[in-house]
Amino acid sequence: MRIEDYALIGDMQSAALVGRDGSIDWLCLPRFDSPACFAGLLGDDRNGHWWLGPVGRRPADRRRYRPDTLILESEWDTPTGTVRVIDFMPPRDVNPDVVRIVEGVSGTVEMSTQLRVRFDYGRIVPWMRRTGGHLQAVGGPDAAWLHSPVPLRGGDYAHVATFEVKAGDRLPFVFTWHPSHEPMPPQIQWDEQLVQTEAMWHDWVRTCTYDGPWREAVTRSLITLKALTYSPTGGIVAAPTTSLPEDLGGVRNWDYRFCWLRDATLTLDALIGSGYLEEAAAWRAWLLRAIAGRPQDLQIMYGVAGERRLPELELDWLDGYEHSRPVRIGNQAVDQLQLDVYGEVMNCLYLARISGLTPDERAWSIQRHLLDYVEEHWDEPDEGLWEVRGPRRHFVHSKMMCWVAMDRGVKYVERFGRTGPADRWRAMRDKIHAEICDKGFDRRRNTFTQSYGSHELDAALLLMPMLGFLPIDDPRVTGTVAAIERELMADGFVLRYPVADANDVDGLPGGEGAFLACSFWLVEVMAMQGRKEEAVELFDRLLGLRNDVGLLAEEYDPRYGRLVGNFPQAFSHVPLVHAARALSKLI
């Protein structure tokens, strides 16, 4: 399957990717960042998968999410009839469940299923047995059960079944995980769970305040962002996958199943702007717990419960998606210095506060410590927004976000009466602003650059007017936007920055696709500039990159005409929401 051939189901603690052919090829349990029990996505069927569909294994003729839900329906037309498979994960009580319901729509269809459970990312072949008519898999700390009226038979380290479905039939398959030392958990009522899950999503979507012309795209993006929230703690993962390549066959393969402060703050910004303050309160509580201790030890990312150690390892038994190796778990970038996150945290908390989030004394105390750190370290080089693995640089975007941090600190004092050295912060804010305009601006080309003294551009510079660093009609902003459109566009979409031979800033070989967030940023900037027709045209082209159920990966590679990178990606769906809101003001 191509990356865009997958759909997402989840229970706001973990998630599965369901292929267009009816195969679940990725599922980590019990959390987003747990070892996968189906890892075929990064290898093949032998690394774990669960296929369910008509005999012959072919793509569904059509599929969709039930409106305003994360319940997937796939349908196949066969010479003898039509069949539907409903896939969902009900909000969790104790143990995670994956529910698959086969429905006969018309005629009679011969169905088949193949289950290969492989714990620890496809490495552990479990001990399988039948108990009380149910199928159990046990391997190390993991155990799983399959409950179904359809009996499966074992062979070749898999369990299979072939069965007929007639019009009106409904046959359930329920896959349940639990720790192997515990007894079999109670079976859920799959039909009741379907009704309750649909009602839960409908209730959540009703909170959405966006009612513009792109409501379907915005709602689908918001549902996706909610699905990437780890409900027990409020943490938000960047994506539910690891090692889906940014360059097919290359080494740009990273684990995104963690909570980047940057991605989380941007996600919350989109949710807050759409009426979801409850998520903002939960994330603020998660943040305070995660950075408790010395706020100056702030990391750029954490585990979903606030874990700090995320060691990067390579899984050499997996061939990688389309032979893109290495397959990595954990993320070495956890140890990087990325000064922009301080500005993103301050900006997000400020936006939440002006949107109605109740004040929190402990939060403000920590914010003051973060500002103290920015004052001491803003002039240092860092790895920046794009987490380069080359030498540290004075990235203009990082400096700008330090300016944002000081600016929002001042605004907290001015607007909300918070105590703090506002005069000192104003002076520091002005000093940072002046240095960026002096050292980060190429006067000959009339554009800001990626880093001090560099020639290269960076699409993150599009954020300048959105964050209030300079007004949208400032000639320096106009020149920067024009330069990005001229030098960083590939087949109508925006690259992050020049890569490979053209620019060794990230220290990695190979190229990559167009970074979708950057293209959505350009849409928003065009809207701010009053370029309505151009903005709408680019926005519609970007929406056309979504797969058939409205999901986006991290990047789009014009060389192959395919989505690439981890999927679905919060960092792509967030600016979609922002761009839609910006355009709606012009229509």
Side-chain angles (χ1 to χ4, degrees):
M1 295 280 102
R2 299 172 303 172
I3 291 172
E4 54 264 46
D5 285 329
Y6 287 95
L8 177 78
I9 59 173
D11 63 359
M12 287 149 305
Q13 294 190 46
S14 186
L17 292 190
V18 185
R20 193 188 293 267
D21 64 347
S23 182
I24 296 179
D25 292 338
W26 183 252
L27 175 62
C28 300
L29 293 174
R31 307 192 330 180
F32 291 108
D33 56 352
S34 297
C37 57
F38 300 137
L41 180 70
L42 299 179
D44 57 31
D45 289 352
R46 293 169 296 177
N47 300 119
H49 80 124
W50 181 12
W51 170 64
L52 177 62
V55 170
R57 191 166 179 177
R58 62 178 178 81
D61 292 282
R62 55 195 164 273
R63 61 178 182 170
R64 63 158 196 162
Y65 285 115
R66 287 190 177 182
D68 293 346
T69 76
L70 202 64
I71 299 170
L72 180 68
E73 296 185 337
S74 306
E75 292 186 351
W76 287 262
D77 297 324
T78 75
T80 59
T82 296
V83 67
R84 176 185 303 125
V85 174
I86 301 171
D87 290 312
F88 71 102
M89 293 178 68
R92 194 177 306 184
D93 182 13
V94 177
N95 300 102
D97 299 286
V98 177
V99 181
R100 315 193 75 180
I101 304 169
V102 180
E103 288 188 338
V105 177
S106 65
T108 300
V109 179
E110 188 177 22
M111 297 288 289
S112 186
T113 187
Q114 182 179 76
L115 176 71
R116 276 194 174 98
V117 182
R118 296 291 186 269
F119 296 122
D120 193 24
Y121 300 103
R123 191 175 193 180
I124 296 177
V125 178
W127 172 45
M128 306 291 294
R129 65 174 179 171
R130 291 184 180 85
T131 302
H134 308 288
L135 189 63
Q136 183 190 29
V138 177
D142 301 293
W145 292 84
L146 181 66
H147 308 291
S148 177
V150 177
L152 278 69
R153 65 186 184 277
D156 191 26
Y157 296 99
H159 280 74
V160 300
T162 301
F163 56 99
E164 281 191 348
V165 178
K166 298 179 182 178
D169 286 347
R170 299 184 87 204
L171 296 175
F173 295 79
V174 180
F175 182 87
T176 304
W177 179 95
H178 69 100
S180 60
H181 65 274
E182 295 181 357
M184 181 180 76
Q187 295 182 52
I188 63 170
Q189 298 296 316
W190 57 271
D191 48 352
E192 293 179 6
Q193 289 296 321
L194 177 60
V195 173
Q196 293 173 14
T197 301
E198 186 166 19
M200 181 278 296
W201 282 112
H202 286 168
D203 288 344
W204 189 81
V205 169
R206 268 193 286 271
T207 302
C208 180
T209 56
Y210 177 80
D211 194 28
W214 294 282
R215 181 173 172 79
E216 178 275 328
V218 168
T219 300
R220 180 50 51 197
S221 290
L222 292 172
I223 289 172
T224 303
L225 297 175
K226 176 65 173 175
L228 298 179
T229 302
Y230 185 68
S231 59
T233 66
I236 301 172
V237 298
T241 57
T242 178
S243 299
L244 289 179
E246 297 169 9
D247 184 20
L248 293 175
V251 301
R252 296 170 182 263
N253 318 317
W254 316 111
D255 193 347
Y256 277 12
R257 300 170 301 154
F258 306 114
C259 302
W260 271 256
L261 296 189
R262 176 189 310 109
D263 296 56
T265 56
L266 295 172
T267 298
L268 281 172
D269 190 9
L271 290 169
I272 290 167
S274 303
Y276 294 99
L277 275 182
E278 182 178 334
E279 283 73 14
W283 181 81
R284 183 175 67 182
W286 172 87
L287 175 69
L288 297 180
R289 293 191 303 270
I291 66 177
R294 298 199 313 162
Q296 60 266 40
D297 293 334
L298 181 79
Q299 295 184 178
I300 66 161
M301 73 175 86
Y302 298 86
V304 294
E307 297 88 351
R308 297 186 178 212
R309 286 184 293 167
L310 309 173
E312 186 173 301
L313 305 172
E314 296 182 3
L315 307 184
D316 58 8
W317 63 87
L318 291 173
D319 289 337
Y321 180 84
E322 295 200 9
H323 303 287
S324 304
R325 303 182 72 182
V327 172
R328 296 181 173 96
I329 59 170
N331 202 305
Q332 181 181 318
V334 69
D335 297 320
Q336 288 188 351
L337 174 65
Q338 298 177 20
L339 292 169
D340 64 294
V341 298
Y342 294 88
E344 274 128 11
V345 169
M346 288 295 298
N347 187 54
C348 178
L349 292 175
Y350 175 72
L351 291 173
R353 185 72 182 86
I354 64 177
S355 298
L357 188 65
T358 56
D360 184 288
E361 292 300 325
R362 190 160 61 104
W364 176 242
S365 176
I366 289 178
Q367 286 172 266
R368 286 193 57 173
H369 282 290
L370 297 182
L371 291 175
D372 290 342
Y373 184 88
V374 173
E375 283 188 279
E376 295 176 9
H377 297 277
W378 72 271
D379 56 351
E380 297 178 8
D382 71 340
E383 279 89 2
L385 166 71
W386 305 125
E387 300 181 350
V388 300
R389 300 208 172 189
R392 289 182 176 180
R393 286 171 163 79
H394 290 281
F395 288 104
V396 171
H397 173 265
S398 295
K399 307 299 185 190
M400 178 179 67
M401 295 311 298
C402 290
W403 175 90
V404 168
M406 306 311 299
D407 179 73
R408 301 320 187 249
V410 170
K411 285 180 167 58
Y412 259 99
V413 174
E414 294 175 342
R415 181 161 183 166
F416 302 121
R418 288 296 191 181
T419 58
D423 289 341
R424 194 178 81 214
W425 291 345
R426 286 190 194 95
M428 179 60 66
R429 177 185 64 182
D430 294 344
K431 180 179 180 179
I432 297 172
H433 196 283
E435 180 178 293
I436 293 172
C437 293
D438 178 41
K439 297 183 178 180
F441 187 73
D442 185 334
R443 290 168 179 78
R444 182 180 62 82
R445 296 161 61 211
N446 190 34
T447 180
F448 286 96
T449 58
Q450 185 176 52
S451 60
Y452 289 176
S454 71
H455 178 81
E456 292 80 12
L457 299 178
D458 191 322
L461 301 171
L462 292 168
L463 295 170
M464 279 187 167
M466 301 182 214
L467 294 167
F469 183 82
L470 286 172
I472 189 65
D473 58 354
D474 187 288
R476 291 167 292 183
V477 170
T478 304
T480 300
V481 174
I484 289 172
E485 290 185 69
R486 184 173 60 250
E487 299 180 30
L488 286 185
M489 298 286 284
D491 291 325
F493 302 104
V494 182
L495 303 173
R496 290 189 290 182
Y497 51 83
V499 296
D501 294 339
N503 179 18
D504 63 355
V505 67
D506 61 18
L508 294 167
E512 66 174 14
F515 202 79
L516 295 177
C518 301
S519 298
F520 283 115
W521 293 340
L522 181 57
V523 170
E524 191 167 354
V525 167
M526 286 177 169
M528 294 175 70
Q529 291 178 324
R531 298 160 60 187
K532 173 183 170 182
E533 291 76 14
E534 292 174 87
V536 171
E537 191 274 333
L538 177 55
F539 190 59
D540 286 342
R541 271 193 290 123
L542 286 164
L543 293 184
L545 299 182
R546 299 181 304 156
N547 72 358
D548 57 315
V549 290
L551 303 180
L552 287 168
E554 184 179 22
E555 301 180 5
Y556 171 78
D557 198 324
R559 295 174 296 176
Y560 311 115
R562 293 179 55 181
L563 294 178
V564 292
N566 282 304
F567 173 87
Q569 175 79 4
F571 210 23
S572 296
H573 286 278
V574 165
L576 184 158
V577 175
H578 286 300
R581 288 209 303 258
L583 284 177
S584 295
K585 295 176 183 178
L586 301 179
I587 295 176

